[in-house]
């Protein structure tokens, strides 16, 4: 079995070593323009030339959860595209989102500013019931985030394309449930895949439906959010703040107004990193399953775009 590795902006050697150890007997190589035909591809942001040259693939493994960039390429028809399914990302996402929600709810941002001025000024306690959290997307990451927030006694509602039942989470479904979901939320977390249906979903008319004093946490993709609409709703006072990990253009340009906005917290797309060892174990396990003719989780549905 031959495996071709083509991950942009990635130190290839530890991945090659790890894949060779996990798949003894497989020929694992970093892709070059004159590589031989491989059976399996392990990719992140590969050039189109990769797929022009690799014409005998049995499956393509993406070393991330989101496949929006990959689906813009011309992919070989009929070859399964498999994305990372948690692989250590869900717990990181739960840490990040809970940190952002709790920082806002417990006003730790205010205490940080007070401490910088040497001010001792306790504020009145807040009630969980006044800060319901809505999680858009209840997949590998959104479900874990929802359950973790519920464990902190937040009122959690979730929204997905197909109906779900998650303990401690009020679940809303599809377009029919969208406005009720927004109206039930004060803090909004976006964990949707980027598809034609979800692009620009965080815009003026949808964010305006959040409860007053709304707070936006976008950890999915920058193109879910209409930047100017967020700023307008923050400046009008309808929204209290935002924590953003993903942006339309990354790195976020130095002159982008998000950097300087006093109520926006920016992080550099780090909410859930690809963990090499966990990812290699998952990919190797799935290659073995494919070789045995077994069904796999995490196969992308091209029609849905995720
Ligand atoms: P996933 O398992 O595919 O889950 C996606 C969820 O979104 C599912 O619940 C799905 O509904 C729902 N959904 C999709 N389209 C919808 C629509 N039109 N209306 C309502 N719900 C819809 O994905 P995941 O692994 O949780 O990852 C989610 C996204 O997070 C990724 O696509 C990626 O862009 C982003 N991400 C970001 C980082 C970071 O570091 N910032 C890291 C990893 C991932 P169904 O359950 O009904 O299918
Ligand atoms: C990161 O953004 C991913 O999609 O894994």
């Amino acid at each position: 079995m031959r495996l071709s590795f083509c991950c942009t902006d990635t130190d290839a050697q530890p991945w090659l070593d790890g894949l060779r150890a996990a798949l003894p007997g497989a020929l694992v190589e970093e892709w070059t323009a004159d590589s031989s035909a491989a059976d399996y591809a392990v990719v992140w942001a590969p050039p189109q030339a990769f797929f022009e040259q690799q014409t005998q693939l049995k499956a393509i493994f993406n070393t991330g959860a989101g496949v929006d960039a990959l689906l813009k390429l011309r992919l070989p028809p009929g070859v399964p595209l498999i994305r990372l399914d948690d692989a250590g990302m869900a717990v990181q996402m739960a840490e990040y989102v809970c940190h952002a929600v709790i920082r806002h709810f417990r006003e730790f941002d205010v205490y940080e500013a007070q401490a910088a001025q040497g001010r001792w000024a306790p504020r009145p306690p807040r009630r969980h019931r006044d800060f319901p959290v809505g999680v858009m997307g209840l997949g590998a990451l959104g479900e874990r985030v929802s359950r973790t927030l519920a464990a902190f006694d937040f009122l959690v509602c979730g929204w997905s394309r197909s109906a779900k039942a998650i303990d401690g989470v009020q679940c809303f479904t599809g377009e029919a449930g969208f406005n009720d979901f927004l109206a039930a939320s004060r803090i909004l977390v976006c964990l949707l895949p980027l598809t034609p249906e979800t692009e620009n979903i965080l815009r003026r008319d949808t964010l305006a439906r959040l409860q007053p004093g709304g707070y936006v946490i976008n950890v999915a993709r920058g193109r879910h959010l209409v930047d100017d609409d967020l700023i307008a709703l923050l400046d009008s006072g309808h929204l209290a703040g935002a924590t953003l990990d993903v942006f339309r253009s990354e790195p976020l340009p130095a002159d982008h107004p998000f950097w300087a906005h006093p109520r926006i917290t920016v992080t550099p797309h780090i909410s859930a990193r690809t963990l090499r060892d966990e990812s290699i174990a998952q990919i190797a396990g799935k290659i073995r399953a494919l070789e045995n003719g077994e069904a796999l989780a995490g196969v992308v549905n091209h029609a849905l775009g995720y």
Side-chain angles (χ1 to χ4, degrees), residues 68-261:
D68 43 291
L70 207 43
L71 290 179
K72 288 194 188 126
L73 300 177
R74 281 186 312 282
L75 299 179
V79 177
L81 167 59
I82 298 144
R83 56 68 174 246
L84 285 183
D85 192 15
D86 182 353
M89 284 194 268
V91 66
Q92 296 177 69
M93 199 54 98
E95 290 162 356
Y96 182 102
V97 172
C98 287
H99 174 269
V101 167
I102 291 168
R103 178 170 181 259
H104 174 60
F105 170 63
R106 294 291 307 273
E107 302 182 275
F108 289 129
D109 49 347
V110 176
Y111 290 116
E112 280 160 22
Q114 289 183 177
Q117 298 170 340
R119 281 187 66 214
W120 179 281
R123 298 164 68 83
R126 290 170 148 190
R127 301 177 305 188
H128 286 102
R129 66 172 178 269
D130 295 331
F131 289 82
V133 187
V135 179
M136 306 170 87
L138 294 172
L141 306 184
E143 178 176 349
R144 176 73 177 257
V145 165
S146 304
R147 287 186 190 279
T148 312
L149 287 165
F152 280 110
D153 287 354
F154 286 102
L155 299 180
V156 182
C157 48
W159 183 64
S160 53
R161 202 178 43 78
S162 57
K164 305 270 183 235
I166 303 174
D167 278 348
V169 180
Q170 187 186 3
C171 294
F172 295 83
T173 309
E175 254 179 74
F178 189 45
N179 286 345
D180 289 343
F181 162 78
L182 290 172
S185 307
R186 178 162 174 183
I187 299 177
L188 186 68
V189 179
C190 182
L191 268 169
L192 292 166
L194 182 64
T195 68
E197 284 72 41
T198 65
E199 184 162 1
N200 299 328
I201 198 165
L202 305 175
R203 58 176 182 270
R204 189 183 294 258
D205 63 306
T206 53
L207 297 178
R209 290 181 191 276
L210 295 176
Q211 296 176 8
Y215 193 92
V216 175
I217 299 171
N218 187 17
V219 277
R221 288 289 183 266
R223 297 189 72 78
H224 289 304
L225 175 68
V226 179
D227 296 0
D228 290 346
D229 289 2
L230 175 74
I231 289 177
L233 288 165
L234 286 167
D235 293 348
S236 77
H238 179 69
L239 295 179
T243 292
L244 306 174
D245 185 49
V246 288
F247 304 92
R248 286 180 174 261
S249 176
E250 294 182 2
L252 184 64
D255 60 352
H256 195 287
F258 285 168
W259 283 116
H261 199 287

